Amino acid sequence: MTARQASRLAVASVVVTALLVVVLAAWAASIGPSGVLRGEGPSPAGTPTLTQSASASAGQGTTVDTPAEPRGAPPWVRAFALLVDLAVVGGLVLLAARYGVVPAVRSARRRRARRRRTTEHLEFPVLEPPAAVAREMLADASTQRRLLAEGGTPRNAVVECWHRFETQAAAAGLARGAWETSSEYTMRVLDLVDAHQPAVTRLGELYREARFSEHELTEAHRQDALDALDTIHRTIGLTAGADTGTGVPG
């Protein structure tokens, strides 16, 4: 049995006991102590009872007075019983508040606090201002283009160029979601800065071809990638109003 269950059982026991006390006190106050303690008991041997005396006297025409019914409890007894009832009821109210209402209110507050903390700690994707990401991309534009134009084979250069967008976005503080692939993350970043969509699509196709195909990529593929990258750089941040003062190759 848990502590909470034991507490509830104790409260229930106290309440039931108190109710019994109230009922008994009310009953005693209503009939008085003489009614509670009264008992006729057996008549002594040879002693005529009231009924026998009445029957014997009936023939003689003698009238026998019937004893008066006992009076109710004195006023002070009734007042005392009322005070006991009020005290018990007040105690029940206090017990209910102490072990019922107060714990319920505290529990509700703790649940609300836990919900607030859970909501605050949920990991939602943070949408950084597009201008911040655009500035980082434009600041790295010349290096990105040079690596694509001069770096290694066309296949490696195209793959490195695409991954460069991830590096730029991370430097701007835009984290990659655990559910996102590399391509999904890069597409989200380029969409955030309103890059030219056809150029993004073309560069993405070249990246997938370089990343997953088995045939060799040629210098023509490299040039297509350069043309798409130049278009992306020219359109990055135009809607967001990015202004870095960095010259972008045309």
Side-chain angles (χ1 to χ4, degrees), residues 217-233:
L217 269 66
T218 65
E219 291 298 325
H221 292 92
R222 189 199 298 267
Q223 187 59 50
D224 284 349
L226 283 169
D227 293 342
L229 181 63
D230 289 341
T231 302
I232 291 172
H233 284 162

Side-chain angles (χ1 to χ4, degrees), residues 37-44 69-70:
L37 303 176
R38 185 180 64 216
E40 300 296 340
S43 298
E69 291 294 329

Side-chain angles (χ1 to χ4, degrees), residues 156-239:
N156 293 338
V158 170
V159 172
E160 175 62 24
C161 174
W162 186 262
H163 287 168
R164 194 83 180 178
F165 288 123
E166 295 186 46
T167 304
Q168 296 162 359
L174 183 61
R176 172 180 171 181
W179 64 92
E180 289 180 310
T181 64
S182 175
S183 294
E184 290 171 343
Y185 176 50
T186 302
M187 294 294 289
R188 177 164 69 92
V189 169
L190 293 173
D191 182 67
L192 181 66
V193 296
D194 293 320
H196 189 257
Q197 192 58 46
V200 172
T201 301
R202 178 54 182 156
L203 188 57
E205 292 172 348
L206 290 169
Y207 163 73
R208 287 187 291 274
E209 185 177 359
R211 181 73 175 79
F212 302 110
S213 68
E214 296 182 357
H215 63 268
E216 291 295 328
L217 269 66
T218 65
E219 291 298 325
H221 292 92
R222 189 199 298 267
Q223 187 59 50
D224 284 349
L226 283 169
D227 293 342
L229 181 63
D230 289 341
T231 302
I232 291 172
H233 284 162
R234 283 196 300 270
T235 57
I236 279 178
L238 291 181
T239 304

